[in-house]
């Protein structure tokens, strides 16, 4: 496994079985992206927009998220496709809102906690050949069919069995030939698996737990601790429980806070 990424371009190698012609039109299909991704594990609005843009396919950000159906995105809405002759090629750019083509969907098979194999829709495993080129012609899985997804600094690269990263150059050539990962090696894995929605997703962090805990959390958040004392309204919490159900929890919290302050000043 590579220790770190460095900005190095992968070498240019011809891809066996690659039938796409090199032309200006084909080059335009390779769209660049910066390899960045959201750092927070929670689903944000930007994540929802990204998923909608890619037809419901979301970005895999850790090894545990790799599921059966996987698309390998090497540019914005541009995926690796399997050919019926066992070759691999860069597919056509997908329109916004469209997911990958069936030929661009692979079955990911986890080997262990760090490595995975990819099987094409034709039932063949993606293999790294001796010269680093890629094919998908074998029906059995061995060492050459194993890849290690390397997640680091919000970016992802695929390390082949030859300890070289999968690279895609401006001509659309694919090979595991880069000793270090740079812009030409960064890619995305996308999955369409249904993700379980966090039942607490819409509840503010301060309000998770009992109403007593919630009130303390808000006091800690907004109170000025000039004398290092935490001041919480000690009255019955029944009103808070009722307010939480009826949707005016914040208003009741403010009322309790104001009443407590007024009582202190009266004293």
């Amino acid at each position: 496994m590579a220790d770190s990424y460095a900005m190095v371009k992968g070498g240019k190698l011809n891809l066996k079985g690659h039938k796409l012609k090199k032309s200006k039109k084909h080059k335009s299909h390779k769209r660049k992206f910066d390899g960045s991704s959201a750092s927070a594990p929670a689903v944000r609005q930007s994540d929802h927009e990204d998923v909608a843009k890619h037809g419901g396919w979301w970005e895999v950000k850790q090894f545990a998220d790799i599921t059966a159906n996987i698309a390998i995105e090497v540019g914005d809405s541009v995926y690796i496709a399997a050919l019926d002759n066992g070759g691999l090629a860069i597919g056509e750019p997908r329109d916004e809102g469209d997911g990958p083509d069936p030929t661009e969907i692979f079955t990911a098979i986890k080997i262990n906690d760090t490595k995975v194999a990819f099987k094409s829709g034709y039932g063949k495993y993606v293999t790294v050949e001796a010269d680093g080129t890629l094919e998908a012609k074998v029906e059995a899985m061995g060492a050459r069919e194993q890849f290690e997804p390397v997640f680091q600094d919000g970016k992802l690269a695929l390390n082949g069995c030859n300890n070289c990263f999968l690279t895609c150059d401006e001509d659309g050539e694919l090979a595991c030939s880069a000793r270090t990962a740079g812009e030409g090696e960064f890619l995305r894995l996308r999955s369409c698996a249904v993700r379980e929605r966090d039942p607490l997703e819409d509840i503010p962090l301060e309000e998770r737990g009992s109403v007593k805990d919630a009130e303390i959390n808000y006091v800690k958040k907004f109170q000025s601790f000039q004398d290092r004392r935490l001041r919480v309204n000690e009255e019955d919490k029944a009103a808070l429980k009722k307010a939480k159900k009826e949707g005016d929890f914040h208003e009741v919290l403010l009322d309790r806070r104001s009443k407590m302050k007024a009582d202190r000043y009266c004293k």
Side-chain angles (χ1 to χ4, degrees):
M1 174 176 174
D3 293 331
S4 62
Y5 293 136
M7 304 305 294
V8 178
K9 274 286 183 181
K12 179 179 176 183
L13 293 173
N14 292 324
L15 178 69
K16 294 181 179 180
H18 195 295
K19 289 190 174 183
L20 295 183
K21 294 182 179 180
K22 299 178 183 178
S23 65
K24 292 183 179 180
K25 181 179 179 181
H26 175 57
K27 288 183 180 181
S28 67
H29 291 168
K30 180 68 174 62
R31 302 177 185 173
K32 293 182 179 180
F33 62 85
D34 61 7
S36 61
S37 62
S39 58
V43 178
R44 301 190 211 174
Q45 181 62 31
S46 58
D47 293 324
H48 289 298
E49 293 172 356
D50 179 71
V51 172
K53 177 182 176 181
H54 294 86
W57 288 72
W58 47 273
E59 182 181 353
V60 171
K61 298 178 182 178
Q62 58 183 351
F63 188 84
D65 292 338
I66 296 177
T67 55
N69 289 336
I70 287 290
I72 305 173
E73 185 183 19
V74 293
D76 288 336
S77 298
V78 177
Y79 305 91
I80 294 177
L83 306 177
D84 57 5
N85 65 353
L88 297 172
I90 303 301
E92 296 289 327
R94 299 297 153 201
D95 294 331
E96 184 169 335
D98 291 344
D101 185 79
T103 60
E104 299 165 346
I105 300 174
F106 296 81
T107 299
I109 301 172
K110 290 183 179 179
I111 310 301
N112 50 38
D113 292 338
T114 60
K115 294 186 178 181
V116 64
F118 299 100
K119 182 187 286 188
S120 74
Y122 299 104
K124 311 294 184 181
Y125 286 96
V126 177
T127 302
V128 179
E129 296 298 313
D131 60 357
T133 57
L134 302 182
E135 288 187 343
K137 294 182 177 180
V138 301
E139 297 181 354
M141 178 178 58
R144 293 192 302 165
E145 287 71 48
Q146 298 180 23
F147 295 82
E148 180 180 7
V150 180
F151 296 88
Q152 184 174 310
D153 300 330
K155 299 180 181 181
L156 167 64
L158 280 179
N159 202 12
C161 64
N162 58 355
N163 203 30
C164 291
F165 291 99
L166 173 62
T167 184
C168 177
D169 64 20
E170 291 295 329
D171 292 324
E173 302 294 343
L174 294 163
C176 283
S177 58
R179 288 294 180 183
T180 56
E183 291 300 323
E185 291 71 52
F186 296 143
L187 50 82
R188 292 185 176 107
L189 296 181
R190 289 193 176 274
S191 171
C192 63
V194 177
R195 291 184 288 182
E196 291 185 6
R197 184 178 181 276
D198 184 356
L200 302 179
E201 179 182 331
D202 298 325
I203 301 176
L205 291 175
E206 294 82 3
E207 297 180 26
R208 299 180 184 183
S210 67
V211 292
K212 180 180 179 180
D213 293 335
E215 186 171 25
I216 292 175
N217 289 337
Y218 277 113
V219 169
K220 288 180 178 179
K221 186 174 182 179
F222 297 110
Q223 177 180 311
S224 176
F225 291 93
Q226 294 180 351
D227 57 0
R228 300 180 181 275
R229 294 182 60 186
L230 182 66
R231 294 186 175 88
V232 180
N233 193 314
E234 298 298 338
E235 294 182 0
D236 185 67
K237 302 293 190 293
L240 282 179
K241 294 179 180 179
K242 180 180 178 182
K244 195 168 186 180
K245 291 180 180 179
E246 296 179 352
D248 55 350
F249 186 66
H250 291 168
E251 289 81 356
V252 174
L253 275 178
L254 289 173
D255 290 343
R256 287 169 61 87
R257 181 73 176 154
S258 299
K259 185 176 184 301
M260 186 184 70
K261 286 183 177 181
D263 290 343
R264 284 183 61 211
Y265 291 137
C266 290
K267 294 178 180 179

